[in-house]
Amino acid sequence: VARVTVTPPGVDDMRTALAASYKADPELWCWLQVAIASGARRGEVCALRWCDVELDKRVVRIERSVSATASTGVVIKSTKTGKPRVVSLTTQAVDALLERRRDSARTASAAGRDLDESELIFATDRLGQRPWRPDMVTGRWTRLREEIGLSHVRLHDLRHFVATELLTAGIDLRTVANRL
């Protein structure tokens, strides 16, 4: 099998993508902030529930993932490794999640209910029970990246970006591997 050389996006590319997503698609902006901060796979971010984040401690527990196929439909399952992990979040990701939580609480209140901690952070329904499909996130990302001239950056490249930035900052390889 021919190997593809992966060139992770640069910091400026990610700043451009985040600024553009904030204006064009605030939900995707929040999703990207969490993905970049955590290094999680797209299905793992899609499966996050409010009970998985501790915003005051700036951490998220990643213990499940969303997958979607034609034969099985949308399924929430364990992570690829089957092991949960707790990772720290950046201030920007926490701020994005706080904004998302306020929006979700307003939506719940308008429906005459309180926001439940078991609700998905990224859901396609007002009750927070149906997760975003990973391919939906890819589609939103593809539209955004084409608009801003980053067509060479795949969604999976965000994980490479996180790894590169952590290693460049002097974080040891084992810690980076465990985080991802």
Side-chain angles (χ1 to χ4, degrees), residues 17 28 54 94 99 113 117 130 161 163 178:
L28 179 62
E54 293 184 57
V94 170
E99 192 172 314
R113 62 182 187 79
E117 291 296 309
R130 289 193 312 259
F161 170 77
N178 287 339

Side-chain angles (χ1 to χ4, degrees), residues 9-23:
V11 172
D12 290 339
D13 290 339
M14 294 317 307
R15 284 188 181 128
T16 299
L18 288 169
S21 64
Y22 186 75
K23 291 177 186 173

Side-chain angles (χ1 to χ4, degrees), residues 27-49:
E27 291 177 321
L28 179 62
W29 168 75
C30 181
W31 191 97
L32 290 170
Q33 288 284 5
V34 174
I36 291 168
S38 66
R41 294 173 180 86
R42 67 184 182 154
E44 293 171 341
V45 178
C46 291
L48 289 175
R49 299 181 182 279

Side-chain angles (χ1 to χ4, degrees), residues 61-102:
R61 181 177 175 83
I62 299 169
E63 60 183 43
R64 67 190 78 77
S65 183
V66 173
S67 82
T69 65
S71 60
T72 62
V74 178
V75 178
I76 297 179
K77 56 183 186 143
S78 65
T79 62
K80 185 175 181 177
T81 63
K83 298 177 184 176
R85 62 192 188 279
V86 176
V87 296
S88 60
L89 294 171
T90 61
T91 301
Q92 295 88 344
V94 170
D95 290 345
L97 285 166
L98 285 168
E99 192 172 314
R100 179 94 174 133
R101 187 173 178 89
R102 282 190 294 273

